[in-house]
Amino acid sequence: MTGSRAEGAPELTGTPGLRSTAAQRHGGPTVLRIVLGTHLRRLREASGITREDAGDAIRASHAKISRVELGRVAQKERDVADLLTLYGVTDPDERAEYLDLARRASNPGWWQKYSDVMPSWLETILGLEEAAAVIRSYQVQFVPGLLQTSDYARSVVSLGEARGSVREIERKVELRLRRQELLTRPEAPKLWFVVDEAALRRPMGGRLTMRTQLRRLIEVAEMPHVTLQVAPFGAGGLAAAGGPITILRFDEPDLPDIVYLEQLTSALYLDKRADVENYMAVMDQVCSAASDTEASVRFLEELLDSYY
């Protein structure tokens, strides 16, 4: 994580001990690492043990302990076992829960098969999406990646891959489409998209590509767990003029809301409460300024007609 997590883990409340939540049962390794790291930090602090002493116990530095507690690295079972002993966790059943979580957190996510074309900063958002209960997104330049058709995605990826091979471009398109399975899985999160009119009027890939893409958006808007709004030019200036924003919320009590800000060659993840609240307020203002779903679908249908 970057942003507030670079300074330390977020302030969390609740009783010690692992919880059998949906995120722990179904979340990918990214989320499981964060959950396990949070509990290990709680145990260390409750025991009055410093990061330096914890690092000595697993033959590592205090910086390694910090990365473990933030979920930035996979926690080895041997290290977790040693830390549990140091923190006075002796109950066999409780230790088994922690070690089982460590094993599952070390398993590769489905996205690892795309590591040849996937930037390291993207891995975190893929893992967080897997466990999110609500995903809100405002997009300025393009249709949201979770809603792009293959041809539209190919056009977008090609813009940033002037030197990329055809194989690399196709692999990235495949990754984007695999990511979209999130929309139709049995326990899909609630998805709330606001798309700027500029993104919809910017032609990508030709008329046929745009017709197919617009039809896709109209279909998605009918899904019961999806809210789709268009922010029209007539709305004037928007609070989120700086660029695209994604906010993820989780049922897992040990995961704070996270703001994801994607840039050209990197991404920023914010979970400090003040930052999240500011972006949440901006997102609320954008949603308020945008057309409602019914009006947005009418706009999409009218725009679709213009491509015939």
Side-chain angles (χ1 to χ4, degrees):
M1 290 281 187
T2 55
S4 62
R5 296 189 77 90
E7 299 298 326
E11 292 300 320
L12 299 167
T13 59
T15 57
L18 297 176
R19 300 178 178 89
S20 180
T21 63
Q24 287 192 37
R25 293 193 303 272
H26 306 296
T30 302
V31 166
L32 298 180
R33 288 199 304 266
I34 296 172
V35 171
L36 177 57
T38 296
H39 282 284
L40 290 174
R41 177 180 64 81
R42 285 177 173 169
L43 290 171
R44 178 182 59 77
E45 292 177 345
S47 303
I49 295 172
T50 66
R51 286 195 179 95
E52 288 75 9
D53 289 340
D56 290 341
I58 63 170
R59 304 152 295 281
S61 65
H62 72 280
K64 170 69 177 295
I65 293 297
S66 180
R67 291 194 296 272
V68 165
E69 292 180 350
L70 293 173
R72 293 180 182 169
V73 296
Q75 300 96 339
K76 297 179 180 177
E77 285 186 64
R78 173 185 172 186
D79 291 343
V80 172
D82 289 345
L83 290 174
L84 292 175
T85 299
L86 179 66
Y87 302 154
V89 179
T90 58
D91 180 82
D93 292 336
E94 187 175 0
R95 289 176 67 91
E97 282 190 75
Y98 282 107
L99 295 176
D100 175 65
L101 187 54
R103 281 191 293 273
R104 290 189 288 128
S106 298
N107 293 331
W110 61 260
W111 50 85
Q112 290 302 319
K113 64 181 291 187
Y114 299 99
S115 59
D116 57 323
V117 294
M118 181 181 63
S120 58
W121 50 265
L122 184 62
E123 179 179 349
T124 300
I125 187 63
L126 297 180
L128 293 174
E129 284 177 348
E130 289 286 296
V134 180
I135 300 176
R136 299 179 68 181
S137 178
Y138 169 62
Q139 296 295 323
V140 184
Q141 188 172 3
F142 303 114
V143 168
L146 287 172
L147 305 182
Q148 292 177 6
T149 64
S150 59
D151 287 339
Y152 187 99
R154 189 171 294 107
S155 297
V156 173
V157 170
S158 297
L159 285 177
E161 294 290 334
R163 300 177 182 177
S165 66
V166 173
R167 178 187 177 278
E168 290 172 336
I169 291 173
E170 290 304 314
R171 289 276 289 163
K172 289 192 174 185
V173 171
E174 184 181 326
L175 169 60
R176 188 161 301 188
L177 297 180
R178 171 65 178 82
R179 184 178 178 183
Q180 293 178 6
E181 293 180 12
L182 182 75
L183 275 74
T184 55
R185 74 183 189 192
E187 296 181 0
K190 293 182 180 178
L191 300 163
W192 190 346
F193 300 99
V194 180
V195 187
D196 197 276
E197 181 176 344
L200 299 169
R201 290 197 178 277
R202 180 173 290 106
M204 298 294 298
R207 300 179 70 84
L208 178 58
T209 295
M210 288 303 298
R211 287 202 299 267
T212 305
Q213 180 61 73
L214 290 170
R215 282 196 295 266
R216 169 64 173 161
L217 293 177
I218 293 170
E219 292 170 359
V220 168
E222 298 298 322
M223 293 182 174
H225 61 289
V226 175
T227 299
L228 179 62
Q229 295 180 268
V230 174
F233 291 145
L238 297 175
I245 300 171
T246 298
I247 303 175
L248 303 101
R249 174 161 287 180
F250 308 87
D251 286 334
E252 168 59 57
D254 291 335
L255 284 175
D257 294 346
I258 292 175
V259 175
Y260 171 69
L261 305 173
E262 186 170 319
Q263 301 165 357
L264 183 61
T265 58
S266 63
L268 186 64
Y269 297 84
L270 306 174
D271 63 10
K272 188 175 181 180
R273 179 172 296 179
D275 291 332
V276 173
E277 288 178 350
N278 284 336
Y279 276 97
M280 190 69 76
V282 167
M283 186 69 80
D284 288 342
Q285 291 176 38
V286 168
C287 293
S288 178
S291 302
D292 61 26
T293 298
E294 185 177 348
S296 296
V297 170
R298 286 199 304 270
F299 172 85
L300 291 170
E301 292 172 339
E302 292 171 359
L303 188 56
L304 175 60
D305 289 341
S306 72
Y307 276 99
Y308 283 96

